[in-house]
Amino acid sequence: MIKTLALKKHFQLARHQTLHAVDGISLEIAENEILGLVGESGSGKSTFGKTLIGLHERTSGDAFYQGEPLPKKFTAADHLRYSKEIQMVFQDPYASLNPRMTVLDMVGERLSLRGMARSEVQEQVAYWLSRVGLHPDHMSRYPHEFSGGQRQRIGIARAMIIEPKFVVCDEPISALDVSVQAQVVNLLEDLQRSMGLTLLFIAHDLSMVRYISDRMAVMYLGTLVETGPSDAVFFSPQHPYTQLLIESNPEPDPKLERTRSAQILTGEITSPVNVGPGCRFSDRCPKAMPHCSNETPEPIAIATDHIVACHLYR
Ligand code: SF4
């Protein structure tokens, strides 16, 4: 359904300063699959999602949707064409909703633009509000009248009303209270199953990503370090970064959290400006070897569909 080959997105900050936000991602997402993309802030996850669907112009590399090459730079006509099948659910539901528009106008906007009659738009919006766990009466209200979780449900209804095939969920639960995160994840999972959606689920909560995703991809400083079936990556991580990321993931049970002796990921993610050769994790890696800092590790299949980019597996 979705495929990228060596996709790159660089930002030119100054004459000799290039930010390597996404630096050669090759990835496939099968139809009806949920792929979870994880990594710390600054790893390039959101930039990858946005570049994939044309919100950023690609620097180089290829992207395909249903076998068809996606344009490097989307024109207004491309956005119009692909928005019928590709949608995005944003991290900050408040920032992504227009405060001056009612829920009816926002959720039904794309149907109105297609020329659908007002009464029909109202019917559709009422249906989709119910489908995402809101009340149809909410359609006359404005975003500020809702809680964070409800606003995210509005954002989801807005993306789903046109019945897309592929949805990028860009940190859809990060801005929400812990108590409502699971509800939103369950809603997305339910919609994915009933609509046969393909999802790219971007998040930094590894437990949540494991719960919802079929496969997991781990990103570090613009590159993929490990991909594989979610359970394999979560319960048997092979890349030192994935191992530390999972070890550093807080244990939901406070009693267990107090007693566990985890090896914690230390230091900050390195700057993605003017990145050189070598393993990008070498300055934080407890298993680093002398050649790690100047030889870039290539991805290696260590089991069926389980790929790791690390010199330990060379
Ligand atoms: Fe660590 Fe070397 Fe593997 Fe990088 S390549 S993760 S530095 S062992």
Side-chain angles (χ1 to χ4, degrees):
M1 147 81 61
I2 287 281
K3 184 174 178 178
T4 66
L5 288 174
L7 186 146
K8 290 187 183 180
K9 176 61 197 172
H10 294 175
F11 296 95
Q12 200 65 43
L13 303 181
R15 197 152 162 241
H16 298 296
Q17 277 197 324
T18 307
L19 190 148
H20 297 230
V22 178
D23 218 7
I25 299 277
S26 298
L27 195 62
E28 279 190 57
I29 311 174
E31 193 145 4
N32 296 340
E33 183 180 45
I34 305 182
L35 180 94
L37 185 59
V38 295
E40 292 165 283
S41 294
S43 59
K45 313 180 295 287
S46 293
T47 307
F48 172 72
K50 287 178 181 160
T51 308
L52 185 58
I53 64 169
L55 296 181
H56 291 310
E57 180 183 347
R58 275 198 311 274
T59 303
S60 63
D62 293 303
F64 301 87
Y65 171 68
Q66 308 271 45
E68 184 187 313
L70 289 168
K72 191 174 175 205
K73 182 179 182 179
F74 276 52
T75 60
D78 291 325
H79 280 297
L80 192 65
R81 176 180 168 202
Y82 288 106
S83 69
K84 291 172 188 155
E85 302 201 354
I86 301 176
Q87 283 294 313
M88 188 157 193
V89 173
F90 293 90
Q91 174 179 5
D92 182 349
Y94 197 62
S96 65
L97 301 176
N98 187 334
R100 292 197 201 92
M101 285 172 85
T102 62
V103 170
L104 169 62
D105 291 334
M106 268 183 299
V107 176
E109 188 178 22
R110 291 181 182 114
L111 300 183
S112 301
L113 287 172
R114 285 186 198 175
M116 190 181 270
R118 184 80 172 163
S119 58
E120 228 178 306
V121 173
Q122 277 178 338
E123 228 173 81
Q124 283 288 315
V125 172
Y127 169 77
W128 277 99
L129 289 180
S130 308
R131 187 90 189 262
V132 300
L134 296 171
H135 197 279
D137 288 351
H138 288 149
M139 73 170 82
S140 55
R141 298 194 194 165
Y142 290 87
H144 71 268
E145 298 176 66
F146 295 93
S147 67
Q150 287 174 319
R151 284 198 287 260
Q152 193 53 291
R153 287 173 192 270
I154 295 168
I156 292 169
R158 191 169 190 266
M160 300 298 171
I161 198 166
I162 55 150
E163 305 199 18
K165 293 193 169 111
F166 174 56
V167 181
V168 174
C169 300
D170 183 16
E171 304 251 16
I173 54 170
S174 306
L176 305 178
D177 288 345
V178 176
S179 55
V180 293
Q181 286 184 355
Q183 295 168 14
V184 170
V185 166
N186 285 335
L187 170 63
L188 286 168
E189 193 185 26
D190 174 47
L191 292 169
Q192 185 270 337
R193 284 208 187 123
S194 57
M195 296 169 72
L197 292 170
T198 303
L199 293 187
L200 173 62
F201 186 85
I202 300 170
H204 57 256
D205 183 329
L206 283 134
S207 319
M208 218 50 109
V209 171
R210 183 192 77 79
Y211 171 75
I212 193 174
S213 309
D214 302 302
R215 279 192 311 131
M216 209 189 269
V218 184
M219 237 179 128
Y220 188 79
L221 216 60
T223 61
L224 282 181
V225 297
E226 185 162 359
T227 53
S230 289
D231 282 353
V233 174
F234 191 81
F235 292 114
S236 181
Q238 298 299 313
H239 193 281
Y241 175 62
T242 318
Q243 290 166 352
L244 288 172
L245 200 60
I246 289 168
E247 283 270 295
S248 306
N249 202 38
E251 172 59 56
D253 181 339
K255 278 189 199 153
L256 290 176
E257 175 64 18
R258 274 196 296 275
T259 55
R260 84 190 173 118
S261 57
Q263 195 183 1
I264 302 295
L265 185 61
T266 53
E268 298 269 306
I269 195 164
T270 326
S271 164
V273 176
N274 295 345
V275 184
C279 172
R280 296 180 180 193
F281 189 55
S282 58
D283 55 348
R284 299 170 80 190
C285 178
K287 297 177 181 168
M289 298 168 280
H291 58 285
C292 291
S293 52
N294 46 42
E295 286 177 30
T296 305
E298 294 297 327
I300 294 166
I302 54 159
T304 312
D305 200 28
H306 195 162
I307 295 165
V308 182
C310 170
H311 290 309
L312 290 172
Y313 303 92
R314 191 160 61 168

